[in-house]
Amino acid sequence: MSTAIKTAAAIDAAIVANAEKPHRAHLGASVIGRPCERQLWYSFRWTLAEKHEPRMLRLFERGQLEEKRFVGYLRAAGVEIWEVNPETGKQWRIEDHEGHFGGSLDGVGRGIPDLPPDEAFVTEYKTHGDKSFEKLKAEGLLKAKWEHYVQTQVYMGKMSLRYALYIGVNKNTDELYFELVPFVQAEFDRAINRAKGIIWDAVPPARISDSPGYFACKYCHLNRLCHFGGVTPDRNCRTCVFGEPSGGGLWRCKHADVRSTPNKGFLDEAAQRAACPQYSARVELTTRQP
Ligand code: SF4
Ligand code: SF4
């Protein structure tokens, strides 16, 4: 029996209030391996923000907090770990497609006994529930966690490193899983090309299924918009008929009034989120598409 219901509610409210802004500025390497390209296309265009319950937000945070533990274990074993890029003092970042595609690495390491001493590698740490962890142990990363596998391929390719050290933890038992993932050029190329289409194509890619009851669609927050249309998208420059991705990670407005302003229609993230009075929702985002 919970006797501190108001306290629990106050904490939940604070977690929601402090949560990151909805919609990510870029298409992330951590999601490029997801099964549905259309879902990624809608997400990159800030179509409908996914609302997460406080419990889910805590789960995401837990994944980040675990990273420190992994770093501590590796250092205790004599492994060199760089959590940040020593040249910038900031988190390692990779990007492509004019800055519209990118990701942040957990770290770079060197000196594990499974590799030659000078062979540097990417580190990737993930938390798992029981079922996911058992599958990972039984099948390995490529088969059990495709999204994570692709993420490591993108990081290795962009960092010009030949290996990734993937560490998973079972949140229920604290059991650890270690896998050395070799770089595969073809998978890297495939992921980069996939990102290209999602970012630059003006029309949505095919659905993963035409059935709204299909497993992946049933739990997709875009289900109604994608399969039936008639949904009002979030109001921002990415859902506006005049907005389009441009260079330097910016978006650009095609509306003559906005192009005639001193910034020539280039829109930074804040401007994209704000939109302007000329806003007009794109038809591809309000109606059911083939
Ligand atoms: S509803 Fe299904 S097809 Fe549509 S975006 Fe979501 S997963 Fe993809
Ligand atoms: S600046 Fe205005 S007209 Fe241009 S894309 Fe944004 S909302 Fe649309």
Side-chain angles (χ1 to χ4, degrees), residues 79-255:
V79 180
E80 285 181 282
I81 294 291
W82 293 273
E83 291 172 88
V84 295
N85 182 340
E87 282 176 17
T88 62
K90 295 181 184 160
Q91 194 171 10
W92 297 95
R93 273 200 60 78
I94 58 97
E95 60 176 45
D96 209 320
H97 301 307
E98 300 279 354
H100 291 294
F101 177 62
S104 302
L105 280 69
D106 286 344
V108 172
R110 188 172 57 190
I112 49 169
D114 296 293
L115 285 176
D118 290 337
E119 182 93 49
F121 53 86
V122 165
T123 57
E124 188 56 42
Y125 317 122
K126 297 285 191 203
T127 57
H128 293 260
D130 253 336
K131 205 170 145 194
S132 167
F133 190 79
E134 289 308 318
K135 190 169 160 61
L136 181 66
K137 278 201 309 181
E139 300 177 354
L141 188 66
L142 189 153
K143 275 186 85 179
K145 277 286 167 188
W146 177 251
E147 261 181 64
H148 296 176
Y149 177 79
V150 174
Q151 185 182 3
T152 62
Q153 293 299 335
V154 171
Y155 290 163
M156 284 186 274
K158 295 302 293 183
M159 296 291 291
S160 300
L161 294 173
R162 298 192 302 164
Y163 292 97
L165 176 66
Y166 180 92
I167 309 181
V169 61
N170 182 331
K171 286 180 284 186
N172 303 72
T173 63
D174 252 335
E175 186 179 351
L176 295 176
Y177 172 86
F178 295 85
E179 182 172 330
L180 207 48
V181 186
F183 177 61
V184 179
Q185 183 73 48
E187 294 303 355
F188 169 75
D189 293 343
R190 194 145 66 123
I192 297 292
N193 278 334
R194 193 176 201 222
K196 183 179 170 191
I198 290 160
I199 291 163
W200 303 109
D201 287 355
V203 291
R207 292 178 188 82
I208 193 169
S209 166
D210 280 333
S211 164
Y214 178 71
F215 181 77
C217 299
K218 210 157 62 176
Y219 299 102
C220 176
H221 76 289
L222 298 157
N223 186 306
R224 210 175 123 216
L225 163 68
C226 177
H227 288 280
F228 305 101
V231 172
T232 304
D234 293 349
R235 191 178 188 281
N236 56 64
C237 291
R238 297 197 186 188
T239 62
C240 174
V241 69
F242 299 111
E244 61 185 4
S246 179
L250 298 173
W251 278 58
R252 197 166 188 204
C253 179
K254 289 182 279 190
H255 195 291

